[in-house]
Amino acid sequence: MANTPPEGLRYPWNTPPDLGTDSIEVAPGVLWLRLPLPMKLDHVNVYALDEGDSWTIIDTGFASGKSRAIWAAAMAGPLGGKPISRVVVTHHHPDHIGLAGWFQTEHGAELVTTRTAWLTGRMLTLDEQAVAPSETLMFYRQSGMDPDMLDKRAKDRPFNFADIVAPLPLGYTRIKQDDTIRMGGRTWDVHIGNGHAPEHATFWSRDDNLVIAGDQILPSISPNIGVYPTEPMADPIAEWLEACERLALLARPDHLVLGGHKVPFTGLPKRMEQLISNHHGALNRLADYIEEPKSASECFAPLFKRTIGEAEYGLALVEAVAHLSHLYQTGDATRSQRAADGAWVYRRKG
Ligand SMILES: [Zn+2]
């Protein structure tokens, strides 16, 4: 499939490394590898930075037998038998933090991440649920979830972090805004993103043009921004826009951005503009759409402009809640609970 970058972006490598044992050296001492994910977004990028006698790795993939086998092969292959001494995790999502605990426990690696990523990852890993909690079902009902799907979620064992994230032992090293960190022979400024995941770390090299962006900045897809039952009144859209506008000030056209998915790219100032304007566009379309009151599940058309299948329904729903709730919390919409099904319905103000 042709891999055409959005306007103003350039992809120095159009073909990614083979999933698993292959790697591409994207800069001296910086390797790009890929691990598979069993979903529509079928891969996650990880990076290995040469520390001389060992490696620092950025993110890990899911905890699965397959991922562990791939890492073992990578360590014996492209990583040349040197140990992984440090795991840097950009944010708490399972495709990024999945094997961090395994690297700590089995390989003696140090874990470096933000406090919120560590606390959230560890809390969710310990919070194993046999059935969906009533708060979760209530949240979905109030989002207008399709009744059959809600029924299924009430009966089935829910998705658990622990299914795909290895146990995280006690202890990690915290990074925060304005820190610097040495990795791969470079000094990196830590800048914190938000919106896709709370306190999401990004790394900006002082010594060359590299930016390690995790999922905060992706080239051809917009990172998912959702509201979850753990914090129903969160406003991640506002946090996302604040972070993008702040990070945009750092962006240079020659930056080589190493993200968590898709391929590395240059043209970061243009991409920051696109990421910001995509959400303003979505909010405007949504505001027009809710002249008549609508629940989150009734707002997929203006937000995604494509049909949403069952596999994407959950992510689409939390993203729709995020956008509607943002309009509500900025005073651009009102909301009330619909008597028929208990869903929050949002209506444009004025
Ligand atoms: Zn990701």
Side-chain angles (χ1 to χ4, degrees), residues 219-334:
S220 52
I221 50 174
S222 207
N224 179 264
I225 297 176
V227 169
Y228 296 89
T230 42
E231 195 182 336
M233 290 314 292
D235 186 0
I237 300 288
E239 294 181 273
W240 169 260
L241 291 170
E242 182 281 325
C244 283
E245 278 156 17
R246 183 164 38 82
L247 297 175
L249 302 175
L250 309 170
R252 301 194 316 250
D254 70 303
H255 270 140
L256 178 64
V257 184
L258 310 175
H261 304 279
K262 305 293 179 177
V263 298
F265 68 96
T266 61
L268 184 53
K270 187 74 195 169
R271 187 57 188 153
M272 296 312 296
E273 248 176 71
Q274 291 165 350
L275 287 172
I276 293 165
S277 66
N278 285 351
H279 282 284
H280 286 304
L283 288 168
N284 289 339
R285 291 195 303 276
L286 187 59
D288 289 343
Y289 196 72
I290 57 170
E291 292 288 348
E292 292 304 317
K294 297 270 192 323
S295 72
S297 67
E298 291 158 351
C299 289
F300 293 170
L303 282 177
F304 307 109
K305 300 188 280 183
R306 60 187 160 88
T307 0
I308 296 298
E310 203 180 326
E312 307 163 274
Y313 188 95
L315 284 177
L317 189 63
V318 294
E319 181 133 10
V321 174
H323 282 84
L324 285 167
S325 186
H326 178 74
L327 291 177
Y328 170 62
Q329 293 188 61
T330 53
D332 296 310
T334 58

Side-chain angles (χ1 to χ4, degrees), residues 102-279:
W102 177 73
F103 278 109
Q104 288 181 280
T105 312
E106 298 295 316
H107 295 274
E110 175 192 17
L111 171 60
V112 176
T113 192
T114 66
R115 181 180 280 168
T116 309
W118 190 75
L119 290 174
T120 311
R122 192 159 196 274
M123 180 266 288
L124 291 173
T125 311
L126 293 170
D127 185 18
E128 205 173 333
Q129 298 157 351
V131 291
S134 58
E135 297 88 341
T136 300
L137 297 174
M138 166 90 81
F139 176 82
Y140 284 136
R141 185 172 301 112
Q142 292 178 343
S143 308
M145 182 179 263
D146 172 84
D148 290 343
M149 214 170 285
L150 187 64
D151 205 43
K152 193 165 171 334
R153 296 220 178 191
K155 285 186 192 126
D156 293 354
R157 180 179 186 275
F159 159 75
N160 277 284
F161 241 61
D163 298 345
I164 49 172
V165 177
L168 285 159
L170 277 184
Y172 80 106
T173 303
R174 182 189 180 194
I175 43 168
K176 57 185 190 307
Q177 177 65 40
D178 297 331
D179 279 356
T180 58
I181 182 171
R182 285 288 296 174
M183 301 188 288
R186 296 161 177 86
T187 301
W188 307 74
D189 288 308
V190 176
H191 287 282
I192 297 300
N194 270 305
H196 174 68
E199 209 185 351
H200 180 309
T202 65
F203 304 92
W204 302 66
S205 169
R206 288 188 177 185
D207 300 299
D208 55 12
N209 62 337
L210 300 183
V211 177
I212 295 171
D215 289 356
Q216 183 71 34
I217 305 167
L218 296 173
S220 52
I221 50 174
S222 207
N224 179 264
I225 297 176
V227 169
Y228 296 89
T230 42
E231 195 182 336
M233 290 314 292
D235 186 0
I237 300 288
E239 294 181 273
W240 169 260
L241 291 170
E242 182 281 325
C244 283
E245 278 156 17
R246 183 164 38 82
L247 297 175
L249 302 175
L250 309 170
R252 301 194 316 250
D254 70 303
H255 270 140
L256 178 64
V257 184
L258 310 175
H261 304 279
K262 305 293 179 177
V263 298
F265 68 96
T266 61
L268 184 53
K270 187 74 195 169
R271 187 57 188 153
M272 296 312 296
E273 248 176 71
Q274 291 165 350
L275 287 172
I276 293 165
S277 66
N278 285 351
H279 282 284

